[in-house]
Amino acid sequence: MAKTDPPADHSIPRHIAIIMDGNGRWARARGLPRLAGHRAGTENLRRIIEACVEVGVKYLTIYAFSTENWSRPQDEVQGLMGIFDEVFERELAELHRQGARLNHIGRLEGMRPSLREKVLKGMQITKDNDRLVLSVAFNYGGRDEIVDAIKAIIAAGTPTEQVNAELVSQHLYTAGIPDPDLIIRTSGEQRISNFLLWQAAYAEWIFPETFWPDFGREQLLAAIEQYGQRERRYGKVLES
Ligand code: FPP
């Protein structure tokens, strides 16, 4: 198989989630401000979405901004908000053309109104697309998500005996989306960082050393290839 050929169908994960780490270090290595790294990371995201559509990944979830990221220096936070505002406006038509459905996971109420409106509009415009579901985790925290699910279950007056894993899944921000098969965290860091805590239960993890802006199509295909060689056991013993 040529290096650039997509892997065979059976090894394609249905759902890939990505912690896009290393924008800041990518910029520092080039003597650039951190925001230049986030801009380069945004450009890369376009390549990765394209590659996912091309190879038939059905769900892509990206960690764009965590509930903890608000504590970064204010100029970086404001710069990032500006980038998100621009990107949601500029890339929506292309996402739509590719047949991707935009989805948001996290707390919408924490977003500035202009951004919130763009995200809601994007979700509305793309709601019937079915080639890829792109979930953007923004103002997202895995623990908050579980807490919100518990609150909703209690508020609905659910009898204790009806509380099970399936019910919890149905109350998460990701309700209706299958759990990720593969989670990639770029830049060599090996932590979960409050991302998809519940949904990651049986995911395969890959930790490439590459900083996110350089993690392009080839690297994604290599990660999918690696995933295809893993044996997923879900806690069981596979018969030989
Ligand atoms: C981590 O790099 C990246 C982020 C905090 C998220 C920002 C992601 C983007 C701008 C990509 C585009 C996303 C959207 C939705 C348009 P870091 O700053 O933690 O890097 P470092 O660990 O090297 O400092």
Side-chain angles (χ1 to χ4, degrees):
M1 191 180 81
K3 207 169 160 230
T4 49
D5 286 346
D9 267 5
H10 63 269
S11 62
I12 305 286
R14 181 157 62 141
H15 183 175
I16 299 182
I18 308 184
I19 303 180
M20 308 176 289
D21 202 3
N23 291 346
R25 280 165 286 163
W26 181 94
R28 194 173 59 212
R30 288 161 179 75
L32 297 169
R34 291 179 58 81
L35 280 179
H38 294 313
R39 286 194 182 281
T42 302
E43 290 302 310
N44 189 47
L45 182 55
R46 191 188 300 138
R47 292 190 277 273
I48 294 299
I49 294 171
E50 259 173 40
C52 284
V53 170
E54 178 203 340
V55 302
V57 170
K58 289 306 213 187
Y59 299 86
L60 173 65
T61 300
I62 51 164
Y63 206 4
F65 196 84
S66 73
T67 44
E68 290 73 31
N69 286 153
W70 295 110
S71 352
R72 290 189 173 205
Q74 272 315 294
D75 56 345
E76 180 169 347
V77 171
Q78 289 317 316
L80 269 170
M81 295 304 136
I83 291 176
F84 294 140
D85 236 330
E86 249 175 69
V87 168
F88 279 111
E89 174 112 23
R90 199 183 59 215
E91 302 293 333
L92 183 65
E94 179 57 17
L95 264 189
H96 194 33
R97 195 192 63 73
Q98 290 181 321
R101 170 154 73 85
L102 179 67
N103 181 41
H104 168 258
I105 59 172
R107 289 186 175 160
L108 260 184
E109 67 270 23
M111 287 186 177
R112 65 187 189 197
S114 60
L115 191 48
R116 194 164 57 218
E117 276 160 29
K118 281 176 194 161
V119 172
L120 289 173
K121 186 178 133 205
M123 286 168 61
Q124 174 61 26
I125 290 175
T126 61
K127 70 179 177 11
D128 295 323
N129 293 342
D130 61 3
R131 285 193 81 187
L132 175 78
V133 176
L134 172 67
S135 295
V136 180
F138 182 95
N139 197 23
Y140 173 90
R143 287 185 168 180
D144 282 351
E145 179 179 34
I146 295 170
V147 169
D148 285 350
I150 294 170
K151 284 183 179 166
I153 290 169
I154 293 173
T158 317
T160 317
E161 61 279 8
Q162 284 180 21
V163 178
N164 56 30
E166 185 51 35
L167 187 83
V168 174
S169 292
Q170 287 164 7
H171 285 82
L172 297 174
Y173 305 144
T174 51
I177 293 176
D179 287 345
D181 302 294
L182 168 63
I183 306 182
I184 298 169
R185 181 174 188 147
T186 56
S187 90
E189 302 294 340
Q190 302 190 4
R191 284 186 298 279
I192 193 163
S193 298
N194 207 12
F195 186 49
L196 302 180
L197 296 181
W198 177 278
Q199 301 87 335
Y202 290 105
E204 296 295 325
W205 284 81
I206 292 181
F207 299 103
E209 294 289 325
T210 319
F211 294 144
W212 170 249
D214 289 333
F215 185 83
R217 180 178 181 279
E218 296 272 308
Q219 286 78 4
L220 179 76
L221 296 185
I224 293 176
E225 184 78 15
Q226 208 180 322
Y227 164 85
Q229 286 156 14
R230 300 265 179 100
E231 185 182 66
R232 300 186 74 191
R233 290 196 289 268
Y234 301 93
K236 300 175 194 149
V237 175
L238 293 188
E239 287 171 26
S240 49

